Amino acid sequence: MLIHLSIKNLAIVKSLDIDFRQGLSVITGETGAGKSIAIDALGLCLGDRAEASLVRANSSKADVSATFDTTQLLNVQKWLIDNDFMDADEVPADLIIRRVISSEGRSKAYINGFPVPLQQLKLLASNLVSVHGQHAHQQLLKPDMQKRVVDNFADHADLLHDVKSHYGSLNQAHRELELLLGEQQSRTDRKSLLEYQVQELDEFALSENEFQELEIEHKKLSNSQTLLEQTQKSFYCLYDADENSAMNAVQTSVEMLAELQEHDAELSPIVAILNEALINLDEASNQLRAYSDKLEIDPMRMQQVEQRYSKALDFARKHGVRPEALYNCHQLLATELSELNKQEESLDALQQQLSVLNSQYLKSAKKLSESRIIASQALAQQVETHIQAMNMTKAKFSVQVDFDPRQSASSSGLDRIQFTISTNPGIAPDALDKVVSGGELSRVGLALQVISSKGNQIPTMIFDEVDTGISGPTASVVGKLLRKLGASCQVICVTHLPQVAASGNQQMFVTKFTDNETTETHMICLKENERIEELARLLAGDTLTDSAIANAKELLQHYQ
């Protein structure tokens, strides 16, 4: 529970230290004195947004810290252990949360002296304090809030998780289906084009590297007559021209120089070179003869190669690629067509999957609805009991849960939940916003907050003027209700009602001091005689009469 709150240079507070006890602590004070300043400061420790305007004028920073006793808070201890703020064998000590806000609006948060991001602070805070603001009752008019209240009361987190999980799968499948359907026309058009292109290329059936081979063969066949004539002529010049052939000339030179090398050894290398030339000339002549013998002039083959080569060039121009890349282009188009066919198959499979997912979602949503119906009956009965005790003796409260499988799926199920009430006999129940006054709504809201607090593990509940619009005997009932709640958890309540103030186990008084230059807010814990004076002020105004004092004493004794 919260045991201490320290505030420095926050708004109109210069320095303030407050000790809190178990039970119901009430905060009262003059209008505009800053009764909610402690709640605002604690909110900063719980992760509320910080602004530069919160820093007291002429101060460089505001500093607030809240100290909690975690001895009995096993879930908080586990969180601290899991996040390395304490060891598993460590004896639980006080938990200190600190928030520092600079005059520029920057803020820092600390848990037991360790700096932490704000999101982590909020996770811890959700296990420590539950705050109910003075405008919280208005939220009850919203259908989503009514649904949340029922779910919190029902405590069926596992059913909510199932619905949310099935909804996530169903929603993902819907998005995939919408994407496929949205692209279906363009996919169909593209598929038709690809089918034509791939079929055309399949029929042509160009193999890998075939174009390069066609190009070589085409060039050879195109020049086959010239190749034959020139190679035969070369062979004649090298070998077959009798005395005028290259072979004969080199042979003659070799014979002449062979005789001379006996007279000059320097000619020997030249003779060796010429002998090697003879060998090469002979080899070249043989190869030329073989080449020209096998070289055929085949007009039919020339026509076939010409046609296929030209067709390959046409396809390359048609697809906007180099002829050498036509084979790869064919493979890419075939792959794309295959992928489009798979998407068509996926569309059919996805539609079948959607049917299964939708069935699973409906089943889980129906189970959730059945649990809500059971919980809503118990919730309505308890709310009705509480509000009848708060001077709404003829009120009839009910919770309608309508399961509608025709509405769009949502992560919270398929229920329409509405709180209805009849405040007078003979009047049909209707929605809260059409029936109740502000004070009656406050009573309904307070009843729901008290009911929803039962069984939760949050040790501290804060009510910031939630009794607005309540007075007279009803205020007395509210005070008793809050005091009873304080027996099971720590309750802090900002109030202007003397009946609620008298019901507190501890009463804080907030006052404002000004010297025409600066303004400060002070908060003190009242002793019994001081409480009587404050209760008398709440009962009778600023002028304290003997009658008001007597009434205050009687009121305080009634609750203590």
Side-chain angles (χ1 to χ4, degrees):
M1 70 172 187
L2 177 66
I3 58 177
H4 185 78
L5 184 65
S6 175
I7 311 171
K8 290 181 175 60
N9 299 321
L10 182 71
I12 56 175
V13 173
K14 184 176 182 180
S15 180
L16 190 62
D17 287 279
I18 316 164
D19 292 320
F20 290 95
R21 301 199 301 264
Q22 183 67 36
L24 173 61
S25 297
V26 293
I27 301 175
T28 62
E30 305 163 358
T31 300
K35 293 190 293 296
S36 297
I37 192 67
I39 311 300
D40 296 337
L42 185 58
L44 289 172
C45 289
L46 301 176
D48 287 353
R49 182 180 177 182
E51 297 179 355
S53 59
L54 292 172
V55 181
R56 181 178 170 83
N58 301 319
S59 299
S60 60
K61 64 180 180 180
D63 194 327
V64 295
S65 62
T67 305
F68 295 86
D69 179 3
T70 64
T71 306
Q72 305 299 322
L73 307 182
L74 299 181
N75 59 328
V76 174
Q77 293 175 26
K78 182 179 184 305
W79 189 95
L80 292 172
I81 292 171
D82 291 344
N83 290 273
D84 298 324
F85 289 102
M86 66 178 287
D87 297 327
D89 57 352
E90 187 177 344
V91 177
D94 290 344
L95 166 66
I96 301 176
I97 298 177
R98 183 182 175 213
R99 189 86 178 273
V100 180
I101 304 102
S102 71
S103 56
E104 292 82 20
R106 295 188 297 272
S107 75
K108 296 179 180 179
Y110 303 86
I111 296 177
N112 284 346
F114 294 97
V116 294
L118 206 57
Q119 191 58 39
Q120 191 174 30
L121 180 62
K122 289 180 179 180
L123 290 174
L124 173 60
S126 64
N127 295 306
L128 293 169
V129 180
S130 174
V131 180
H132 305 271
Q134 54 185 304
H135 302 297
H137 302 324
Q138 297 297 324
Q139 299 295 317
L140 287 174
L141 302 178
K142 299 179 179 180
D144 287 345
M145 177 57 72
Q146 294 177 4
K147 184 183 293 184
R148 197 175 306 147
V149 168
V150 172
D151 287 336
N152 289 340
F153 180 80
D155 193 23
H156 46 210
D158 53 340
L159 295 179
L160 284 168
H161 178 270
D162 286 346
V163 170
K164 187 174 182 179
S165 177
H166 287 131
Y167 169 75
S169 300
L170 181 63
N171 193 40
Q172 177 65 26
H174 269 300
R175 287 200 297 268
E176 292 177 8
L177 181 62
E178 288 174 3
L179 182 63
L180 287 174
L181 290 175
E183 298 174 347
Q184 190 169 28
Q185 185 58 53
S186 60
R187 190 167 56 250
T188 300
D189 295 342
R190 179 62 176 166
K191 183 181 175 183
S192 298
L193 175 62
L194 286 174
E195 286 176 338
Y196 170 75
Q197 291 178 329
V198 171
Q199 181 181 0
E200 196 174 41
L201 289 171
D202 284 345
E203 292 173 354
F204 183 55
L206 182 73
S207 61
E208 189 173 8
N209 299 322
E210 183 184 351
F211 178 79
Q212 291 89 327
E213 295 168 359
L214 281 173
E215 191 171 33
I216 293 170
E217 187 176 6
H218 180 268
K219 186 182 293 185
K220 181 178 178 180
L221 290 173
S222 298
N223 296 278
S224 58
Q225 183 64 45
T226 302
L227 288 171
L228 181 60
E229 291 176 356
Q230 293 297 328
T231 54
Q232 288 178 343
K233 185 176 180 180
S234 295
F235 175 75
Y236 177 81
C237 291
L238 287 175
Y239 190 82
D240 213 23
D242 296 332
E243 295 181 358
N244 294 323
S245 68
M247 283 285 293
N248 187 58
V250 173
Q251 181 64 46
T252 301
S253 297
V254 169
E255 291 173 353
M256 292 171 59
L257 293 175
E259 295 176 0
L260 295 175
Q261 68 180 342
E262 294 180 0
H263 305 296
D264 189 350
E266 288 185 14
L267 293 174
S268 296
I270 299 173
V271 172
I273 293 172
L274 289 173
N275 282 322
E276 185 176 348
L278 277 175
I279 296 172
N280 289 331
L281 284 171
D282 186 57
E283 179 65 24
S285 299
N286 291 333
Q287 290 188 18
L288 274 174
R289 180 163 47 197
Y291 175 83
S292 61
D293 287 345
K294 70 177 182 180
L295 188 63
E296 297 180 4
I297 300 175
D298 187 348
M300 184 65 69
R301 179 58 184 168
M302 177 61 191
Q303 184 179 4
Q304 292 173 349
V305 171
E306 177 71 31
Q307 288 177 348
R308 191 159 180 79
Y309 180 73
S310 299
K311 198 168 185 179
L313 291 174
D314 291 341
F315 275 124
R317 282 192 295 269
K318 184 175 182 179
H319 291 280
V321 298
R322 294 177 59 84
E324 297 85 349
L326 184 60
Y327 173 82
N328 289 334
C329 176
H330 179 196
Q331 304 310 307
L332 290 174
L333 293 175
T335 300
E336 185 181 355
L337 178 59
S338 176
E339 290 298 322
L340 288 179
N341 287 329
K342 288 179 181 178
Q343 289 182 10
E344 291 295 327
E345 294 171 2
S346 297
L347 183 60
D348 295 336
L350 189 56
Q351 287 173 330
Q352 295 176 5
Q353 183 187 9
L354 264 175
S355 178
V356 174
L357 291 174
N358 189 58
S359 177
Q360 292 174 343
Y361 173 77
L362 285 173
K363 186 177 179 180
S364 62
K366 185 63 177 176
K367 283 185 179 179
L368 177 61
S369 180
E370 291 168 352
S371 178
R372 282 170 172 165
I373 290 172
I374 295 172
S376 66
Q377 294 170 350
L379 176 63
Q381 185 177 358
Q382 292 189 34
V383 171
E384 191 171 288
T385 300
H386 279 81
I387 61 177
Q388 286 179 354
M390 287 187 282
N391 204 29
M392 295 175 68
T393 56
K394 304 297 183 181
K396 298 294 181 182
F397 184 86
S398 61
V399 180
Q400 293 181 357
V401 180
D402 297 320
F403 181 76
D404 184 5
R406 295 169 299 178
Q407 68 172 308
S408 299
S410 75
S411 59
S412 60
L414 295 170
D415 291 318
R416 290 190 177 93
I417 295 180
Q418 185 178 55
F419 292 170
T420 61
I421 192 170
S422 171
T423 54
N424 296 293
I427 299 178
D430 206 342
L432 294 182
D433 58 343
K434 296 180 180 178
V435 177
V436 297
S437 63
E440 289 170 333
L441 181 61
S442 294
R443 278 172 265 183
V444 173
L446 185 59
L448 286 167
Q449 289 166 353
V450 171
I451 292 167
S452 64
S453 69
K454 296 177 181 178
N456 66 32
Q457 295 182 321
I458 299 178
T460 300
M461 296 186 67
I462 296 177
F463 296 91
D464 187 6
E465 295 191 22
V466 295
D467 50 15
T468 301
I470 297 173
S471 60
T474 304
S476 178
V477 175
V478 170
K480 291 178 180 178
L481 194 63
L482 290 173
R483 187 177 178 92
K484 182 179 179 181
L485 182 61
S488 59
C489 67
Q490 183 184 42
V491 179
I492 300 172
C493 179
V494 177
T495 184
H496 62 280
L497 297 177
Q499 295 90 337
V500 175
S503 66
N505 303 97
Q506 177 187 26
Q507 183 172 350
M508 310 285 189
F509 176 68
V510 180
T511 185
K512 184 169 61 177
F513 169 79
T514 180
D515 59 3
N516 295 325
E517 292 184 4
T518 60
T519 301
E520 291 184 23
T521 287
H522 298 277
M523 182 183 294
I524 58 174
C525 184
L526 299 179
K527 298 177 182 178
E528 183 174 350
N529 61 320
E530 294 171 330
R531 286 191 71 178
I532 292 172
E533 291 183 4
E534 171 61 6
L535 291 174
R537 185 188 66 80
L538 292 173
L539 286 165
D542 293 334
T543 303
L544 300 183
T545 63
D546 292 339
S547 175
I549 294 293
N551 288 336
K553 285 182 179 180
E554 183 179 355
L555 184 63
L556 187 60
Q557 290 172 357
H558 176 71
Y559 284 99
Q560 299 305 312

